Amino acid sequence: MNHPRLFACLVCALPLFVVTAVGADRVIRLDAPATVFTESSPLGNGRLGAMIFGGVTEERVVLNESGMWSGSPQEADRKDAAEALPEIRRLLLEGKNVEAEKLVNERFTCEGKGSGRGRGAAIPYGSYQLLANLRLKFQHPGKDLPVSGYRRELQLGNAVAALNYVQDGVHYSREAFVSAPDEVFVYRFTADREGTHSFDITLERPERAEVSAAGGDRLLMTGALSDGKAGDGVRFAAEVAVKVRGGSVRTEGTTLQVRGADEVLLLVSGVTDIANRSFAGRKTNDVVQTAANDLVSAKAKSYEGLRESHVAEYRRWFDRVELQLGPADAAADNLSAPERLHAFTAGAVDSGFAALYFDFGRYLLISSSRPGGLPANLQGIWADSINTPWNGDWHLNINVQMNYWLAEVGNLSELHQPLFALIGSLVKPGEHTAQSYYGARGWVAHVITNPWGFTSPAESAQWGSTSSGSAWLCSHLWEHYLFTGDREFLRQVYPILKGSAQFYLDMLVTEPTHGWLVTAPSNSPENAFIMPDGSTAHICLGATIDEQLVRALFAATSEASRVLGIDSALAKELDEKRARLAPTRIGPDGRVMEWLEPYGEKDPHHRHVSHLWGLYPGHEIDPRARPDLAEAARRTLTVRGDAGTGWGTAFKLGMWARLGDGERAYAVLREHLQPARPSEKPGTWTGGLYPNLFGAHPPFQIDGNFGGPAVIAEMLLQSRVLELGAGSKEPGASNVELTLLPALPKVWGEGSVRGLRARGGYEVEISWVDGRLKAATIHAHADGALVVRSGEKEWKLELRAGETRTLQP
């Protein structure tokens, strides 16, 4: 198979789960086996993933591999879409939004079935899928006797899952991890009595897989996913091997039988032919051979050697940042997770829980996104079905972006690279889409995408026609430059920024009332408004988020051209057109307007708050420079309310942090960290956390697990680079502002953080007591001047690369 070039580079019913923080080694403890996916323990190396259920009679491990994508490239652009554009725009300019939306649905959506409305496994769009279920059925004497002392831990400090329990007088212990150096899942079984390990091992998948014995101690699974066109697509292979000390291992059909072993080491490799080519120079497309090679290499090493290299590699990421919020609280640490979640939501002071959640987000990013691989999807890399919710794809109207909010500020900048690779992969298909729908230069991506380069509008105008997804993606390229100052990176990605900007230059139209340049057609993601005649519409001219995103894109591309000393004419045009974009405005009700007109809201509490992108993660609504807009944003958030999905509450949390309101941010954090619960009525969203601390949309969606921790960092440190403009004598020079403890709630009265990163190339360490700064250390990774603020105190510094300055008020 020839693939296109991909990426280069409920409480009473719940078991008891206990979450414990122990210094730098934060631990999530679970005191019963998992009964569902969202109670299991996630492990991963960026490509290969595993979910440990921890059963004592039967064990299930869900195995994942980031390239397990069905589907294949398709021609999803309508051939005659651009012919409908003038009429769509005419209707919008005449205020006939409902008629325009009807035409968008008829002629301006994608060709074919699109994403299958989130059920794309068997169509060309495809779906991310599980690799396999690894099942163990225990056969030792006493296997049905009661269990005591059960404890399952996910050790965030070394990325190891540990399990201990006593049964029939025997103390059983297990450890599991997914190794990046050795590219295998490792699961070790030990006990304090010899000869007590006896179990059967099977490997299974719901469809499109064959399992066979591969020698006396191995199982091999091979298969190919559907390409959505009645053929085979992505090829995959998984291999299981067993090493025993004492006892025996043999195959019986497609079952591995371990009998009477003192110790068992279980190794699993897994490979697909798309993710395989993108990792660490592994060029072969022979998935069976690659899986076998990984297993042979790992099997030659001792468990201690495998564990040591795994932990050392992982800690070089995890140890970069250390957060302590408040004094240790042993009582809170020893609560079960449902008890802790409910107590926190009810008002209990539990600062250690927020710190644990922060570290869990970093753990998940390290475990699901590595340089050279595919980016974290809607579920990271962890899925247990054939048709993962919403296809487990990459949504471009906030979700994949939120997955990477933590990367730069959390000192995991290199882990941003898979998203950059995804962006680059969309340019060529996005150029075709730009021409097919808008007759425009450059490239565009709309709301959803997959490994096959899907950039078309999705299948419904209601949610799939947003055209600013590519502008939002480009903000991540520019942010990486602002954090790192890496001009070579900027030079490499500048054509992507330029192509995106050119698309919007061609796509913009002039609205007649003010002469502003606006996107058309446009919509505010997934939201609806009420027309003067009482009808409901989604399609409009110049939704506020579009204008904010395009304004930021034009500014970034213009500044990038000056930094690189190229395209001065384009920079001038971008500056001129940027000045004519519709501004962010305050409506008659004192709130930020979501649309170009003060339409009524169909859902005043809608889960998206897209028109405040300019507050967070953007920088347009600056409380210092525009207090009027900041106050309007505050009113907007108050009316929207604090409730929402996991990612929705993380979004609002970031906005309150940017407004400098630590108490309101903390109130939203309580909402974010509540237990997930069933929706009370259709169409409502509860958010919160599942027992294993995965975020709920619902169902499970991982973006909130990244967004929440990113905003915890934002409450402690904020940074911005002021725009220099065309008249600067020093193109690209930083004019950086750092704000320390900008949204510190009273309950975090004392604490410290080490290793956070700031724009301009700075690494920051902060300590505080009684809610006031005690000391801060600024380490410069680049030359530059900056202003540092904390409360009323201000420092003006000039630092050279490698220089460190400690500040004490």
Side-chain angles (χ1 to χ4, degrees):
M1 175 181 181
N2 293 318
H3 296 297
R5 189 181 76 84
L6 295 175
F7 309 147
C9 348
L10 12 77
V11 182
C12 294
L14 292 175
L16 291 180
F17 296 82
V18 178
V19 182
T20 308
V22 184
D25 284 332
R26 292 206 157 93
V27 175
I28 300 172
R29 198 180 89 213
L30 305 96
D31 284 349
T35 59
V36 294
F37 184 71
T38 48
E39 294 172 355
S40 55
S41 302
L43 300 168
N45 68 357
R47 180 187 65 85
L48 193 63
M51 296 293 292
I52 307 296
F53 278 57
V56 297
T57 303
E58 294 187 10
E59 167 68 302
R60 177 190 178 195
V61 179
V62 177
L63 299 172
N64 297 109
E65 209 272 1
S66 63
M68 286 293 289
W69 259 92
S70 64
S72 57
Q74 62 172 314
E75 179 52 76
D77 290 339
R78 288 182 182 265
K79 295 180 174 58
D80 61 348
E83 297 175 6
L85 183 60
E87 179 64 8
I88 292 169
R89 287 175 168 168
R90 182 189 69 79
L91 291 168
L92 289 171
L93 290 166
E94 293 178 1
K96 299 178 180 179
N97 298 60
V98 174
E99 292 89 336
E101 184 167 331
K102 183 174 183 293
L103 189 55
V104 169
N105 276 318
E106 291 173 351
R107 299 187 58 188
F108 216 72
T109 55
C110 58
E111 194 72 65
K113 296 181 179 179
S115 70
R117 296 184 178 270
R119 305 290 297 176
I123 61 177
Y125 185 86
S127 176
Y128 182 65
Q129 305 183 5
L130 88 164
L131 173 62
N133 284 303
L134 177 69
R135 296 189 183 273
L136 281 62
K137 187 172 183 179
F138 295 93
Q139 306 291 347
H140 56 264
K143 64 183 177 63
D144 296 321
L145 293 176
V147 169
S148 62
Y150 184 98
R151 170 178 261 183
R152 176 162 48 104
E153 294 182 341
L154 179 61
Q155 301 167 358
L156 302 184
N158 55 22
V160 170
L163 173 62
N164 289 274
Y165 64 92
V166 175
Q167 188 178 42
D168 193 23
V170 180
H171 181 189
Y172 291 94
S173 299
R174 307 178 199 169
E175 279 197 340
F177 56 87
V178 179
S179 169
D182 291 293
E183 294 286 8
V184 290
F185 165 64
V186 180
Y187 204 174
R188 185 178 74 155
F189 300 76
T190 60
D192 64 357
R193 185 184 301 171
E194 294 181 349
T196 53
H197 288 297
S198 296
F199 50 83
D200 293 342
I201 305 169
T202 56
L203 193 61
E204 62 184 36
R205 192 172 192 278
E207 64 176 34
R208 304 182 71 89
E210 294 184 0
V211 179
S212 59
D217 60 358
R218 291 180 294 140
L219 295 177
L220 173 66
M221 183 185 73
T222 60
L225 302 182
S226 168
D227 68 355
K229 304 170 185 175
D232 288 343
V234 169
R235 298 192 302 272
F236 61 88
E239 190 162 343
V240 182
V242 177
K243 292 172 64 175
V244 296
R245 181 170 60 82
S248 65
V249 58
R250 61 185 291 270
T251 56
E252 181 66 33
T254 57
T255 299
L256 282 175
Q257 295 180 337
V258 175
R259 295 293 184 267
D262 303 335
E263 179 180 322
V264 181
L265 184 60
L266 189 62
L267 303 172
V268 183
S269 61
V271 180
T272 58
D273 64 350
I274 60 172
N276 178 37
R277 283 190 283 167
S278 66
F279 259 78
R282 293 148 59 91
K283 300 299 185 183
T284 178
N285 285 329
D286 187 338
V287 294
V288 175
Q289 187 62 55
T290 304
N293 291 345
D294 288 343
L295 214 56
V296 168
S297 176
K299 195 175 179 182
K301 301 181 180 181
S302 68
Y303 174 77
E304 290 73 19
L306 291 167
R307 191 183 193 280
E308 182 179 355
S309 61
H310 156 70
V311 171
E313 193 279 340
Y314 169 78
R315 292 197 76 106
R316 75 183 182 91
W317 304 102
F318 188 80
D319 288 352
R320 294 179 180 183
V321 175
E322 184 175 0
L323 173 64
Q324 186 68 37
L325 295 174
D329 186 341
D333 289 343
N334 285 304
L335 289 174
S336 70
E339 290 172 336
R340 192 168 192 175
L341 286 168
H342 275 277
F344 187 79
T345 303
V349 177
D350 185 359
S351 301
F353 187 35
L356 173 81
Y357 187 65
F358 174 81
D359 278 345
F360 187 50
R362 295 193 303 125
Y363 167 85
L364 292 174
L365 186 59
I366 297 166
S367 301
S368 64
S369 181
R370 293 294 185 92
L374 306 177
N377 61 47
L378 283 172
Q379 293 195 185
I381 55 172
W382 299 282
D384 66 343
S385 61
I386 297 299
N387 214 128
T388 303
W390 298 285
N391 297 318
D393 66 5
W394 297 291
H395 278 35
L396 311 183
N397 60 352
I398 189 171
N399 309 101
V400 72
Q401 292 92 337
M402 184 179 288
N403 282 2
Y404 288 89
W405 285 356
L406 186 59
E408 300 296 340
V409 69
N411 209 339
L412 296 170
S413 185
E414 303 95 318
L415 305 190
H416 219 157
Q417 188 273 340
L419 180 63
F420 304 154
L422 173 66
I423 297 169
S425 77
L426 298 179
V427 171
K428 187 172 181 179
E431 289 173 344
H432 190 278
T433 299
Q435 272 292 318
S436 296
Y437 285 80
Y438 305 93
R441 297 172 297 166
W443 70 279
V444 64
H446 289 80
V447 177
I448 56 175
T449 196
N450 58 16
W452 317 118
F454 189 96
T455 54
S456 312
E459 55 267 30
S460 172
Q462 179 177 348
W463 59 273
S465 59
T466 301
S467 60
S468 53
S470 42
W472 194 336
L473 288 174
C474 284
S475 73
H476 282 254
L477 303 175
W478 181 241
E479 284 289 292
H480 180 72
Y481 169 70
L482 293 182
F483 271 92
T484 65
D486 187 342
R487 292 198 181 195
E488 182 55 34
F489 170 82
L490 187 62
R491 190 178 305 279
Q492 292 172 4
V493 301
Y494 175 75
I496 301 175
L497 295 171
K498 177 180 177 180
S500 181
Q502 286 176 322
F503 165 76
Y504 293 104
L505 285 174
D506 289 358
M507 187 260 204
L508 294 168
V509 301
T510 302
E511 59 84 31
T513 304
H514 305 90
W516 292 326
L517 293 176
V518 297
T519 52
S522 175
N523 72 354
S524 192
E526 302 181 25
N527 207 356
F529 54 89
I530 302 173
M531 296 292 293
D533 64 359
S535 58
T536 298
H538 303 82
I539 299 300
C540 63
L541 294 170
T544 298
I545 184 176
D546 279 9
E547 303 300 296
Q548 292 174 348
L549 283 166
V550 174
R551 192 159 28 248
L553 173 66
F554 283 6
T557 308
S558 173
E559 182 67 12
S561 74
R562 284 186 281 273
V563 170
L564 299 173
I566 56 177
D567 282 342
S568 58
L570 175 63
K572 181 179 179 182
E573 181 184 7
L574 290 171
D575 290 339
E576 291 172 349
K577 296 290 177 63
R578 180 175 176 240
R580 294 178 55 198
L581 291 168
T584 300
R585 293 184 294 157
I586 302 173
D589 57 6
R591 292 183 287 156
V592 174
M593 291 176 60
E594 187 163 2
W595 298 279
L596 199 61
E597 303 293 337
Y599 298 123
E601 296 167 291
K602 182 71 173 178
D603 178 6
H605 308 297
H606 196 267
R607 60 191 179 277
H608 283 269
V609 197
S610 302
H611 51 312
L612 297 190
W613 182 92
L615 175 61
Y616 182 83
H619 290 272
E620 178 178 309
I621 303 176
D622 180 4
R624 290 172 59 88
R626 289 295 306 272
D628 57 334
L629 275 180
E631 178 57 30
R634 179 183 294 273
R635 294 184 182 184
T636 302
L637 287 168
T638 299
V639 172
R640 264 306 201 260
D642 294 345
T645 62
W647 61 262
T649 51
F651 201 11
K652 295 172 186 176
L653 177 59
M655 294 168 183
W656 283 113
R658 282 283 173 86
L659 289 171
D661 193 332
E663 300 312 311
R664 190 60 182 268
Y666 187 70
V668 179
L669 182 63
R670 289 191 180 282
E671 185 74 25
H672 185 72
L673 299 183
Q674 67 176 322
R677 59 191 186 277
S679 177
E680 296 176 359
K681 61 179 180 178
T684 62
W685 311 87
T686 64
L689 301 179
Y690 290 110
N692 66 357
L693 302 190
F694 270 170
H697 179 68
F700 163 48
Q701 198 167 291
I702 204 169
D703 35 26
N705 286 116
F706 298 129
V711 177
I712 289 172
E714 195 77 16
M715 295 167 73
L716 305 176
L717 172 67
Q718 293 178 18
S719 63
R720 61 178 294 145
V721 177
L722 303 182
E723 183 186 352
L724 295 175
S728 171
K729 294 181 180 181
E730 297 181 73
S734 293
N735 187 3
V736 180
E737 294 181 345
L738 270 60
T739 305
L740 311 180
L741 310 179
L744 189 71
K746 292 180 181 179
V747 295
W748 296 351
E750 65 176 87
S752 63
V753 65
R754 172 188 58 81
L756 295 181
R757 296 297 294 264
R759 293 169 183 83
Y762 302 100
E763 189 166 327
V764 182
E765 181 175 348
I766 311 169
S767 61
W768 64 94
V769 177
D770 295 329
R772 299 175 64 86
L773 178 69
K774 179 181 179 182
T777 299
I778 315 296
H779 179 75
H781 292 274
D783 298 346
L786 69 157
V787 175
V788 183
R789 295 189 177 92
S790 181
E792 300 301 317
K793 184 66 177 176
E794 180 178 295
W795 296 266
K796 294 184 179 180
L797 307 175
E798 290 191 15
L799 300 177
R800 306 288 292 180
E803 188 176 356
T804 297
R805 188 75 56 86
T806 297
L807 309 175
Q808 293 178 313

